[in-house]
Amino acid sequence: MAAMTTTERAERTEPSTVAGEREMLEGWLEYHRETLAVKCAGLDDARLRETSVPPSDLNLLGLVRHMAEVERGWFRNTLADEKAGPIYYTDADQDGDFHPGPDDTWDEAYATWQAEIARARELAAPHALDDFGAGRRTRTTGEPYNLRWIYTHMIEEYARHNGHADLLRERIDGATGD
């Protein structure tokens, strides 16, 4: 899968206002995935690494890498119990997804993120919203997560980080909206 170049403009698909529950959840998740791509569009690797305000090291490239980890964690490990290892973080740097090095690129991060999204869609497709994941359970009660909960959590996770992305993008070049 080819990465979106920094000169391409990402587009978003508006979620349906009349869909059934599953289509609605999937529509909002896609919308938020696309929103993060929109926030990164048109920036080169250097700009994507720009941080917000000290002492924060939050940056757009790190957010994309983080969301690749989140997609992997919830769909591969919680839903499907694939026991997929981390992509960017390590025991030594638990926030390694947010710490891209000088050799880390948008092309790699975007391709990895899109591959995790594709795998998430594939794993979710055969499941009903009430189906429980085969992997990780809640720390507090030991209950499993159903697909509905995973979708809802993913929408929340993207929405929160898209708020961060809004602020980062405005700080980088003044772009607002979308």
Side-chain angles (χ1 to χ4, degrees):
M1 171 180 307
M4 179 181 67
T5 67
T6 56
T7 58
E8 289 179 297
R9 176 83 173 136
E11 296 296 327
R12 291 186 303 184
T13 304
E14 292 290 325
S16 172
T17 61
V18 297
E21 182 181 15
R22 184 176 187 130
E23 184 184 348
M24 183 77 67
L25 289 169
E26 289 175 346
W28 276 105
L29 180 53
E30 291 304 317
Y31 178 83
H32 281 293
R33 287 168 170 159
E34 293 165 3
T35 297
L36 183 55
V38 166
K39 291 298 168 187
C40 296
L43 298 175
D44 63 19
D45 285 358
R47 305 294 312 259
L48 289 165
R49 277 191 189 81
E50 287 186 26
T51 58
S52 56
V53 177
S56 176
D57 54 4
L58 191 62
N59 59 79
L60 289 168
L61 186 59
L63 283 175
V64 168
R65 289 161 44 108
H66 175 67
M67 292 313 300
E69 294 278 14
V70 172
E71 294 274 358
R72 177 178 278 231
W74 284 105
F75 291 99
R76 287 185 178 217
N77 295 335
T78 302
L79 183 63
D81 197 26
E82 287 187 356
K83 296 177 179 45
I87 306 165
Y88 300 111
Y89 71 86
T90 63
D91 288 338
D93 186 359
Q94 290 290 311
D95 291 324
D97 41 353
F98 289 112
H99 304 143
D103 296 331
D104 293 318
T105 67
W106 166 255
D107 289 343
E108 182 281 325
Y110 182 80
T112 299
W113 177 44
Q114 293 304 302
E116 291 301 326
I117 289 171
R119 184 68 177 139
R121 289 182 190 123
E122 177 184 324
L123 292 170
H127 291 281
L129 292 175
D130 289 328
D131 287 353
F132 293 118
R136 173 176 54 173
R137 294 174 171 255
T138 65
R139 286 183 220 142
T140 54
T141 66
E143 292 178 316
Y145 296 94
N146 67 21
L147 181 58
R148 178 184 291 103
W149 193 98
I150 293 169
Y151 275 156
T152 303
H153 176 70
M154 291 299 296
I155 292 164
E156 176 272 331
E157 182 85 9
Y158 271 102
R160 181 165 38 99
H161 288 310
N162 284 337
H164 298 139
D166 281 339
L167 295 172
L168 284 161
R169 184 61 189 254
E170 184 174 5
R171 191 217 141 307
I172 290 167
D173 66 1
T176 60
D178 288 332

